[in-house]
Amino acid sequence: MMTATIRENIARVEERISAACRRSGRRRENVRLVAVSKTHPPESIRAAFDAGLRDFGESRVQEAMSKISQLADLQITWHLIGHLQSNKARPARDLFHWIHSVDSLRLAEKLSLASAPDGARLPVLIEVNLGEEASKEGIPAANAVALVEQISNYQRLELHGLMVIPPFLENLEEVRPYFRQLRALAGEIERRNISNVSMRELSMGMSHDFEVAIEEGATMVRIGTAIFGSRPPVV
Ligand SMILES: *Cc1c(COP(=O)(O)O)cnc(C)c1O
């Protein structure tokens, strides 16, 4: 996609984020825009960076690896937003600054073991499956507290909150309850005061529903199509 178009798309998304913040009495700086660049070439990421974006999300370790190395001259914060297999924990740990998709103890353990030589802690989120669809990734809400408690023991991981991918529904008012549920679950966990655990971050909202997500408390929105245009269908 043309650089000018990416720039215009970002300006439009920015306006919509700001409007959603105003509607819900929130501050713009408390919502982080993560530009989801999966399937898009490094040149598009560079264009978005030049337009002011600093956070980028990728779904697959393999794809991200070459793109991240081609963009090593840019100060980008990389977010892994897709499902992560525990055998890819080490490269993921080396490439990404945030992992949004921790959904098992096994994966948490591998990420912790793969921790950086400098001992830096890795910020992670737990992906919760609120739709309870068998095909979806994420841990069922009923098991989330147990996973949080286990992860709190890993001193190399820094648990910051929760992430959700709700079912795709045309009617945004039908999506809203999922965002509310995630926020309520984060509140419930927060009240347990588990050491080494924060529930400050809620990663929720994509191109078609990010405004509703912001109204419901999202602190990170993951936006691809509205910035970079449509992607080739997944094969
Ligand atoms: C692809 C993807 C997005 C972005 O989706 P868009 O509809 O293109 O904005 C957000 N989150 C996750 C987990 C994704 O896989």
Side-chain angles (χ1 to χ4, degrees), residues 6-57:
I6 290 175
R7 186 175 284 274
E8 283 162 21
N9 286 349
I10 291 170
R12 206 163 310 133
V13 165
E14 273 298 340
E15 276 169 25
R16 291 169 60 189
I17 291 174
S18 296
C21 285
R22 278 196 301 277
R23 274 200 301 283
S24 47
R26 302 191 54 207
R27 298 162 69 100
R28 172 63 189 90
E29 64 261 35
N30 293 336
V31 179
R32 195 191 300 218
L33 169 55
V34 178
V36 176
S37 48
K38 66 189 183 198
T39 76
H40 297 288
E43 301 76 64
S44 296
I45 299 173
R46 213 171 267 281
F49 183 93
D50 289 343
L53 300 191
R54 293 295 177 267
D55 290 86
F56 290 86

Side-chain angles (χ1 to χ4, degrees), residues 221-234:
V221 288
R222 311 177 308 265
I223 301 181
T225 312
I227 292 173
F228 296 110
S230 57
R231 291 179 292 271
V234 183

Side-chain angles (χ1 to χ4, degrees), residues 2-218:
M2 305 251 304
T3 298
T5 314
I6 290 175
R7 186 175 284 274
E8 283 162 21
N9 286 349
I10 291 170
R12 206 163 310 133
V13 165
E14 273 298 340
E15 276 169 25
R16 291 169 60 189
I17 291 174
S18 296
C21 285
R22 278 196 301 277
R23 274 200 301 283
S24 47
R26 302 191 54 207
R27 298 162 69 100
R28 172 63 189 90
E29 64 261 35
N30 293 336
V31 179
R32 195 191 300 218
L33 169 55
V34 178
V36 176
S37 48
K38 66 189 183 198
T39 76
H40 297 288
E43 301 76 64
S44 296
I45 299 173
R46 213 171 267 281
F49 183 93
D50 289 343
L53 300 191
R54 293 295 177 267
D55 290 86
F56 290 86
E58 287 283 334
S59 278
R60 301 168 71 172
V61 172
Q62 199 63 37
E63 179 188 342
M65 201 174 284
S66 88
K67 285 154 80 170
I68 290 175
S69 74
Q70 290 176 70
L71 296 165
D73 58 312
L74 305 183
Q75 286 287 325
I76 287 178
T77 299
W78 291 102
H79 301 251
L80 182 67
I81 60 168
H83 179 65
L84 176 58
Q85 284 170 335
S86 44
N87 63 4
K88 297 255 176 66
R90 186 169 292 276
R93 175 70 178 86
D94 293 341
L95 290 166
F96 291 94
H97 303 99
W98 283 82
I99 310 282
H100 290 227
S101 48
V102 174
D103 62 355
S104 73
L105 183 58
R106 184 177 160 72
L107 174 58
E109 185 184 11
K110 294 277 183 190
L111 284 170
S112 178
L113 287 172
S115 66
D118 62 1
R121 300 174 74 200
L122 177 66
V124 301
L125 306 175
I126 290 178
E127 180 176 354
V128 182
N129 180 349
L130 296 174
E132 309 273 335
E133 294 164 66
S135 62
K136 281 263 187 74
E137 314 294 351
I139 186 163
N143 304 345
V145 172
L147 183 59
V148 168
E149 283 173 342
Q150 289 164 322
I151 289 180
S152 72
N153 296 318
Y154 291 119
Q155 298 301 321
R156 296 293 175 86
L157 301 183
E158 215 166 59
L159 182 55
H160 284 263
L162 305 177
M163 181 270 228
V164 72
I165 309 173
F168 186 94
L169 300 163
E170 290 291 341
N171 180 353
L172 295 179
E173 290 312 313
E174 290 175 19
V175 188
R176 190 183 296 277
Y178 290 95
F179 298 143
R180 282 205 180 147
Q181 248 177 290
L182 193 75
R183 185 180 185 175
L185 179 59
E188 192 185 305
I189 293 169
E190 192 92 81
R191 282 191 291 280
R192 290 170 185 258
N193 275 320
I194 304 166
S195 67
N196 194 26
V197 169
S198 155
M199 285 285 124
R200 204 168 308 140
E201 304 288 348
L202 295 176
S203 169
M204 55 189 199
M206 301 167 45
S207 289
H208 80 292
D209 58 14
F210 70 86
E211 288 148 304
V212 177
I214 290 170
E215 289 168 14
E216 298 302 332

